[in-house]
Amino acid sequence: MKNSLSRFSRGTGLSAAVLGASALVLSGCGAPPAEDASGGSEAGANPDYLGCIVSDSGGFDDRSFNQSSYEGLQMAQSDLGIQTNEAESQAQTDFGPNVDAMVADGCNLIITVGFLLADTTRDTAEANTETNFAIIDDNSIDLPNVKPIIYDTAEAAFLAGYAAAATTETGTVATYGGVNIPTVTIFMDGFAEGVDYYNEENDGDVELLGWDQDSQNGTFIGNFEDAAAGKTNTQNFINEGADIIMPVAGPVGSGTLDAVIEANAAGEDVKAVWVDSDGYETAGKGQEFILTSVMKLMGDAVEEVITNDVDGEFDNSPYVGTLENGGVALAPFHDQEANVPAELQTTLDDLEAQIISGDITVDSAASPQ
């Protein structure tokens, strides 16, 4: 591999951004909580604690970030012996009533899932200072009773973009989003930079459809529910020559898998990259055509935040998931392992190490600061 790259900043040690993120996570991120033999977080020891969660409009069965977050609450229930409650939003108009219902039920901690719940979370937290909140995928709220859970997913998406560029047979890959918001575009930025990095390091000319990082413009469905639109959009990309497509759109991504399944049944060789969870384990279909997934380990973060609250150690410092602390990761290649040469896997390991060290800085406008 070459030792210089014009688009990406390099250094001899940790970058300021990485150091800053590391400082943020010291109090909010680490290994999964262990059982406390003296009480506290011991399983079954907290029957009076009520942990609650409110989904965004994708629902808890979105096979993506709502589901992963909900699984974190379930892990906390099992490991800590707490009580739980949940409210599933069908539309954005449900956000306020659902969060209010959790407050009325006397929840100790309310997890709100997604950037779109930020206004509701802020307003409710200001009015209910005795209730603690944690919000996933938003860092805009500065209140003592609100803890952000955020992720630098651009780091893991960079690896996915590089892998896609290295394995495409057509020389064209694609990505699209549900809604043009930072928690979506951060994936698209990282993916684009991974493709660019592959091209510069290997004198390649892989084309990316669906996203222009410089202008921050691209292809968006406009919601996180319309799987039919996701299928049509993916078919359009395939018709334009893309053979690897990454949807960043929650349940809309199931439409991408439908299009990929049909394309392969018709004799084409098309793959998908999943996001948020390991799609091979969660997507429910087309697993054999998923190259890899850009994962946010939300379940672990949710359980850790609840554990800290149970132990009286809640604070509002952001939990920042990175490659370094394992909050984000590239999923295994599973059935696609044979299509990923050992040399490429070694390169991806090296790239991950360089991102962690700061030798490569993945530069997304949406990355946590």
Side-chain angles (χ1 to χ4, degrees), residues 118-129 131-133 139-148 314-317:
D119 290 343
T120 297
T121 303
R122 180 186 298 106
D123 294 345
T124 310
E126 285 180 334
N128 298 273
T129 57
T131 302
N132 288 335
F133 294 79
N139 193 26
S140 68
I141 303 171
D142 184 14
L143 293 172
N145 60 330
V146 179
K147 186 177 187 71
F314 179 90
D315 65 75
N316 69 344
S317 61

Side-chain angles (χ1 to χ4, degrees), residues 311-333:
D311 290 344
E313 298 175 357
F314 179 90
D315 65 75
N316 69 344
S317 61
Y319 176 118
V320 183
T322 64
L323 285 175
E324 182 174 17
N325 61 37
V328 300
L330 193 68
F333 295 104

Side-chain angles (χ1 to χ4, degrees), residues 46-53 73 81-86 101-110 131-132 306 309-310:
N46 305 283
D48 296 328
Y49 183 94
L50 182 58
C52 304
I53 192 167
L73 180 65
I82 65 171
Q83 302 298 311
T84 65
N85 200 359
E86 69 272 350
M102 296 297 98
V103 172
D105 283 348
C107 299
N108 296 89
L109 175 70
I110 301 171
T131 302
N132 288 335
I306 293 172
D309 194 40
V310 167

Side-chain angles (χ1 to χ4, degrees), residues 11-54:
T12 57
L14 289 173
S15 68
V18 171
L19 285 170
S22 299
L24 284 173
V25 302
L26 285 176
S27 63
C29 190
E35 291 186 1
D36 182 351
S38 63
S41 296
E42 184 180 4
N46 305 283
D48 296 328
Y49 183 94
L50 182 58
C52 304
I53 192 167
V54 177

